[in-house]
Amino acid sequence: MTEFTVEERAERPWVGVSTTGELAHWDRVNAHVPRIYAALAAAGGIPEGGPVYQYHRMRTAADPMDVTVSVPVAARIEIGEGFKTGALPAGRYLVTRPEGGPDALKGVHGEMWRWAALQGLEPAIEERADGIHWRARTEQFLTDPQTEPDRTKWAIEVAYLLK
């Protein structure tokens, strides 16, 4: 059973790249991660953790989704053309850190929705004709794949901003 918590969080600055991607071609989305870290290092910035995938618009897992691949930083910093800077909003977040790495994520999201509904919690979303628009839905990779090649051992944090 996955454990869920509700956490109050401060605003969290990031640098990254916004894109549209499909799960079938997620390697194109992942390709931004080393570029962001390299640009951040070249600008003298220091990462505050592993990459964060911010999901902005989704319909189904098979459809293209709007996502920002980002790296958390201590304060907003410009790292060059083609890169964005922003901040995850402060607020209450529903959070889980599932076991099983990226392959466990599909089931985790369904469990989060069901658990939130049972608790009377509502994710900060807006449903539109082109899909669900999230104010903040993230997956942060806490394990460096270069030090732990076994995907099933990767630590990941999933967080949804709540209304």
Side-chain angles (χ1 to χ4, degrees):
M1 173 72 186
T2 304
E3 290 187 31
F4 303 102
T5 60
V6 175
E7 300 176 5
E8 190 70 35
R9 293 186 169 189
E11 181 179 81
R12 193 166 173 212
W14 55 264
V15 295
V17 175
S18 293
T19 187
T20 298
E22 301 171 336
L23 287 180
H25 303 287
W26 206 248
D27 56 321
R28 296 175 188 162
V29 174
N30 287 334
H32 293 293
V33 173
R35 290 183 49 240
I36 298 165
Y37 279 100
L40 182 59
I46 299 172
E48 296 271 313
V52 178
Y53 293 76
Q54 303 173 45
Y55 297 87
H56 304 292
R57 182 193 57 85
M58 303 177 77
R59 186 173 300 187
T60 71
D63 292 321
M65 56 191 83
D66 297 336
V67 61
T68 298
V69 181
S70 62
V71 173
V73 291
R76 290 183 191 225
I77 179 175
E78 296 295 330
I79 62 172
E81 191 172 326
F83 297 95
K84 294 177 68 172
T85 186
L88 292 170
R92 288 180 355 146
Y93 283 79
L94 174 58
V95 178
T96 189
R97 293 169 188 88
E99 293 182 7
D103 299 328
L105 290 175
K106 181 180 179 182
V108 165
H109 288 288
E111 285 182 56
M112 284 183 83
W113 276 95
R114 287 187 293 278
W115 190 87
L118 288 172
Q119 304 303 313
L121 302 171
E122 293 182 57
I125 61 170
E126 184 180 330
E127 294 189 48
R128 301 183 196 162
D130 65 342
I132 296 174
H133 291 252
W134 294 80
R135 283 203 46 229
R137 172 185 167 161
T138 64
E139 295 172 356
Q140 181 174 13
F141 287 74
L142 306 174
T143 304
D144 182 348
Q146 294 181 359
T147 60
E148 177 52 73
D150 184 349
R151 292 170 49 99
T152 65
K153 294 181 181 176
W154 292 358
I156 300 169
E157 177 189 88
V158 179
Y160 297 174
L161 178 64
L162 300 170
K163 288 184 180 177

